[in-house]
Amino acid sequence: MGPGDDSRQAASLRAALIRHLLAEGTLHEERVAAAFQAVPRHLFVPQAPLDVAYADDVVLMKRDETGAVISSVSQPSIMALMLEQAAIRPGDHVLEIGSGGYNAALLRELAGPDGAVTTVDIDPEVTDRARASLDEAGYGDVRVVRADGAYGDPAGAPYDRIVVTVTAWDIASVWLRQLRPDGRIVVPLRLRAQTRSIAFDRVGAHLESRSTTLCGFVSMQGAGAHYERTSPFGETGLTYDEDQEHEPRPPEEVLKLPPRRMPSGVHVGREEPLLDLYLWLASTMPGYCVMTGGEWSWVAAATTADSLVYLTTRGRPGDLQLELVCVGHGAGAGRLADQMLAQVRLWDRRLRHGPGPAFQVHAVGAVLPPGFHVARRDSCLTVTWAE
């Protein structure tokens, strides 16, 4: 197969990928579709065969010494959702935090000839690869900066849009300062063991969410790096956020105590996503955590010093609807399970079919609105729910 054949095959696969994104409902806007059509993704993953380069999947690029993925070219469907969240306008000046090249090229297409794109990454291998790929693909005017993304890029500020393509635990104060007063930042923000891409608009001195979507990215490195803490717990583990360092945790032996199973009376679809429910429980339950491993692949739980409860489902094989059930172990499991079930029923009755959670970000020390507050190093996140 010659170069011309490769080019035709790449164009055909690129068109097929766009049709797939449209059919899946992750791509809606013509301008974003045109950007995907214009940018040759295979040039940014040269080690991958063409069919892999144009699959709707992440392409892993680099691992650290422990085997953890620290660089990747993101899944196109997630990129499409985030690009539509960002609402890049012709002429916008855009900062991307977390590089790789491909998304920067898409941003450059959307910003147009009167716009500008700067992409920042802490890893010199990543920035070198991004620079080479962008040049080969015809995007030599994208600025590639090797720097810690937690500090943004003051040289190009202020920005109309900031797009973060690594999982962040905090909203760095410099990002807000480098954002125009009417600007928007899109960031995959980790909270209570789940990551949501949230589009925030700057409103005065704080940020207000405009849209959210569940996603997954490699974690931020450098000054902004923070990691969830998973405590060994029998054959499984309990995952807490870093701000939950002082949450009480029962001894592992509690799982050997007889379980108490308490049905909720609330039924959910077998494939129904429950992460909004889990975030509600995280907002209302002391000792909230996530159980992973063993027979518990990923379930919402809560702990005290002597008890543990977790949420599961029951039903027969083939049932389309499953009942949510709370299972508890320990001396105080009954009271803790009653509390969890009350919140499950409240969510079902008042919040399940609502617009979902909304988020605000204020500087630490600012006056906060009512809601569930999570303090980080530079910012405080407020979660609220509308019925």
Side-chain angles (χ1 to χ4, degrees), residues 35 76 101 120 208 210 223 239 242 246 278 291 307 315 342:
V120 175
E208 296 185 1
R210 297 296 180 245
T239 300
E242 285 203 353
H246 301 295
Y278 296 163
M291 292 182 68
S307 302

Side-chain angles (χ1 to χ4, degrees), residues 230-239 252 255 290-299 308:
T230 298
S231 301
F233 196 74
E235 296 180 359
T236 183
L238 300 180
T239 300
E252 295 182 15
L255 283 176
V290 169
M291 292 182 68
T292 56
E295 62 183 280
W296 302 277
S297 57
W298 201 101
V299 299
L308 174 142

Side-chain angles (χ1 to χ4, degrees), residues 22-64:
L22 289 167
E24 291 294 308
T26 55
L27 176 61
H28 310 86
E29 298 178 9
E30 289 184 8
R31 291 185 65 243
V32 178
F36 273 97
Q37 184 61 56
V39 178
R41 188 174 192 245
H42 65 282
L43 297 183
F44 297 90
V45 287
Q47 81 287 6
L50 283 178
D51 59 338
V52 174
Y54 288 102
D56 186 20
D57 200 359
V58 64
V59 179
L60 306 183
M61 303 298 288
K62 184 178 180 181
R63 298 179 184 269
D64 66 14

Side-chain angles (χ1 to χ4, degrees), residues 15-27 55-56 75 77:
L17 172 62
I18 293 168
R19 290 194 298 271
H20 166 78
L21 299 178
L22 289 167
E24 291 294 308
T26 55
L27 176 61
D56 186 20
Q75 184 176 3
S77 55

Side-chain angles (χ1 to χ4, degrees), residues 261-322:
R261 291 181 172 83
M262 302 174 65
S264 68
V266 175
H267 291 78
V268 297
R270 185 176 289 274
E271 302 299 327
E272 182 177 346
L274 297 177
L275 290 181
D276 277 359
L277 168 59
Y278 296 163
L279 186 58
W280 172 251
L281 294 176
S283 305
T284 56
M285 291 291 299
Y288 178 87
C289 59
V290 169
M291 292 182 68
T292 56
E295 62 183 280
W296 302 277
S297 57
W298 201 101
V299 299
T303 60
T304 64
D306 65 2
S307 302
L308 174 142
V309 299
Y310 61 90
L311 196 63
T312 185
T313 58
R314 70 175 183 182
R316 295 170 299 183
D319 285 351
L320 297 180
Q321 293 284 312
L322 304 174

Side-chain angles (χ1 to χ4, degrees), residues 79-95:
M79 299 174 74
L81 289 167
M82 290 184 68
L83 290 170
E84 294 190 355
Q85 283 185 295
I88 310 295
R89 303 161 299 188
D92 274 349
H93 285 223
V94 184
L95 173 64

Side-chain angles (χ1 to χ4, degrees), residues 8 21 40 65 152 157 167 197 215 258 367 385:
R8 285 190 291 273
L21 299 178
E65 62 277 5
T167 298
S197 174
C215 66
V367 176
W385 301 76

Side-chain angles (χ1 to χ4, degrees), residues 242-259:
E242 285 203 353
D243 60 277
Q244 297 179 280
E245 185 174 356
H246 301 295
E247 295 281 10
R249 303 172 196 188
E252 295 182 15
E253 292 73 22
V254 75
L255 283 176
K256 298 178 182 178
L257 298 175

